[in-house]
């Protein structure tokens, strides 16, 4: 990252929360039709239809960038389910690139901390806060949030009202924990799918082995019967 750019500026320039994923796009819908549908929410900065690099065939989804977070969130709310050529579009924030879970004791990292700062409503968190949170693990962040919430919601509300910047810090911590949970869930789903595929392959191999054994036994029976046949 350029050392001359503050983390607050980097968070403001983070495109992750301005880009939406648009899925279930009809293959016979033109790019103009999709663009027109997306612009019902507001002007767009870019639209990229996903396609197979080898064949050029469209994949049925696209990434659309809006000028700001608010418009992108509006698209998620108002464009999701929009009918285009007989199909209902699926729209959601594209989000950041998912990563393999770091573990409960490893720092969440500066990239995630900056992205979390970009999602904070109102004034962005201080650079020093973002750097501090980046060096904390998910476990430490959970403990931090639990300590602040220990005295109940009323006390926490008063603290947010009277301690400058605390509300932004709490929101940034919440986003970081949500991101860590999402990464863990995605990894668990991937492992479950991988295990299911492995189990299916094992069952398939077992069936093939059984068929081969049965076929071998059938051949042996034919051979034995042939031995007992007299030639005339």
């Amino acid at each position: 990252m350029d050392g001359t750019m503050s983390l607050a500026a980097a968070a403001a320039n983070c495109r992750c929360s301005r880009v939406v994923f648009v899925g279930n796009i009809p293959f016979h819908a033109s790019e103009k039709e999709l663009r027109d549908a997306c612009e019902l929410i507001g002007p767009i900065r870019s639209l990229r239809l996903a396609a197979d690099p080898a064949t050029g065939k469209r994949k049925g989804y696209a990434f659309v960038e809006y000028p700001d977070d608010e418009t992108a969130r509006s698209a998620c709310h108002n464009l999701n389910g929009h009918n285009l050529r007989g199909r209902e579009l699926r729209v959601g924030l594209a989000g950041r690139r998912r990563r393999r879970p770091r573990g409960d004791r490893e720092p969440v990292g500066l990239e995630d901390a900056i992205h979390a700062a970009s999602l904070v409503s109102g004034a962005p968190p201080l650079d020093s806060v973002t750097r501090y949170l980046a060096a904390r693990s998910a476990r430490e962040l959970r403990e931090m949030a639990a300590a602040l919430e220990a005295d109940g919601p009323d006390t926490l509300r008063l603290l947010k009202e009277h301690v400058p910047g605390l509300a932004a810090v709490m929101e940034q911590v919440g986003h970081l924990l949500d991101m860590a949970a999402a990464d863990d869930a995605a990894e668990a789903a991937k492992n479950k799918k991988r295990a299911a595929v492995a189990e299916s392959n094992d069952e398939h191999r077992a069936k093939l082995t059984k068929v081969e054994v049965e076929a071998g036994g059938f051949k042996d029976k034919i051979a034995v019967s042939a031995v007992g046949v007299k030639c005339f």
Side-chain angles (χ1 to χ4, degrees):
M1 181 185 299
D2 185 354
T4 62
M5 178 183 287
S6 71
L7 299 188
N13 289 329
C14 180
R15 298 172 60 247
C16 301
S17 55
R18 300 199 302 260
V19 178
V20 300
F21 168 88
V22 183
N24 204 33
I25 300 170
F27 290 103
H28 53 284
S30 68
E31 181 174 338
K32 183 181 183 306
E33 287 175 312
L34 177 61
R35 181 179 293 274
D36 289 345
C38 294
E39 287 182 339
L40 292 173
I41 306 302
I44 64 175
R45 283 188 172 180
S46 64
L47 185 153
R48 180 171 62 84
L49 278 165
D52 188 309
T55 63
K57 184 179 179 181
R58 280 168 42 178
K59 294 185 176 181
Y61 63 89
F63 294 96
V64 180
E65 181 183 359
Y66 285 96
D68 52 64
D69 301 359
E70 185 178 353
T71 309
R73 287 194 293 269
S74 176
C76 296
H77 180 70
N78 296 302
L79 195 60
N80 188 55
H82 176 78
N83 190 291
L84 181 64
R85 292 281 196 117
R87 282 193 179 187
E88 292 186 354
L89 297 177
R90 294 197 303 270
V91 183
L93 282 179
R96 84 201 202 290
R97 175 176 57 85
R98 294 203 185 280
R99 65 184 74 234
R100 188 175 296 277
R102 298 172 182 269
D104 240 17
R105 298 179 182 275
E106 295 181 37
V108 295
L110 192 56
E111 183 181 344
D112 280 5
I114 290 173
H115 179 66
S118 77
L119 301 174
V120 172
S121 55
L126 297 173
D127 287 2
S128 56
V129 170
T130 296
R131 291 187 187 280
Y132 176 81
L133 295 180
R136 308 277 76 78
S137 68
R139 180 179 180 179
E140 290 174 312
L141 294 177
R142 280 194 294 271
E143 290 173 350
M144 184 189 306
L148 287 167
E149 295 168 354
D151 293 326
D154 291 338
T155 302
L156 181 58
R157 178 177 54 79
L158 287 172
L159 285 172
K160 287 180 178 180
E161 289 175 357
H162 293 91
V163 179
L166 180 60
V169 173
M170 289 292 292
E171 187 178 350
Q172 189 174 6
V173 168
H175 288 311
L176 280 167
L177 291 176
D178 287 344
M179 289 154 60
D183 288 344
D184 288 341
E187 185 69 12
K190 187 188 298 182
N191 291 337
K192 184 177 180 181
K193 184 177 180 180
R194 191 181 294 123
V197 169
E199 183 179 354
S200 177
N201 289 339
D202 288 343
E203 290 178 355
H204 183 63
R205 281 193 292 270
K207 288 178 181 178
L208 286 177
T209 301
K210 183 179 179 181
V211 169
E212 289 172 357
V213 170
E214 290 176 350
F218 181 65
K219 290 178 181 177
D220 291 342
K221 288 179 182 179
I222 293 176
V224 170
S225 299
V227 170
V229 173
K230 296 182 180 180
C231 296
F232 296 96

